[in-house]
Amino acid sequence: MLTTITPAAAPTVPALLPHVPPRRRALYLVGEAERSTPRPVATADRTTISVNGRWIALRGRTATYAQLLRIAYPDREGQNPGAATVSFRHSVDTGLNGLLMPGDVVPLADGLLVNVNATFAS
């Protein structure tokens, strides 16, 4: 008697799922949640700028080096930093960017981003 050969069933391949990368946790600097504040609404007499991640509304048309240093480090009022760097740039490409030295003034524009780094060590 002849044996019949049945074709083997094709191996089943699991359906290919689209590659989904694992979710990464958002990394934050210590205290960043406290520093990051919502942007205040601009009014006709106030301009909103960001100083070290904190949005503030200022009156006037210009801000000085000393004023920005005082805004960035309110707890160091009256202390002169050993070294300080004040850089600024506008979030929209208007060409408004640069560094401030003591005595310099920057024109205020809505959305101006300012970074202040200072060393108060002796």
Side-chain angles (χ1 to χ4, degrees):
M1 179 148 167
L2 295 172
T3 59
T4 45
I5 301 174
T6 58
T12 58
V13 178
L16 296 176
L17 298 176
H19 176 67
V20 178
R23 293 190 74 183
R24 294 174 43 190
R25 282 194 209 158
L27 299 177
Y28 297 100
L29 297 174
V30 174
E32 185 176 358
E34 292 80 24
R35 288 186 320 178
S36 299
T37 57
R39 185 174 180 174
V41 177
T43 61
D45 63 335
R46 293 184 183 234
T47 305
T48 58
I49 68 169
S50 172
V51 178
N52 289 354
R54 270 185 248 144
W55 286 99
I56 58 169
L58 296 176
R59 289 186 193 149
R61 295 183 181 186
T62 61
T64 65
Y65 171 89
Q67 288 171 335
L68 294 172
L69 193 62
R70 200 172 328 126
I71 291 168
Y73 297 100
D75 58 335
R76 301 290 185 150
E77 184 79 32
Q79 296 180 8
N80 290 330
T85 303
V86 179
S87 62
F88 63 92
R89 72 177 177 87
H90 197 274
S91 57
V92 180
D93 187 27
T94 60
L96 183 62
N97 59 18
L99 292 172
L100 292 178
M101 301 299 288
D104 286 348
V105 176
V106 63
L108 292 178
D110 195 45
L112 186 70
L113 305 173
V114 179
N115 290 315
V116 180
N117 295 317
T119 303
F120 291 91
S122 56

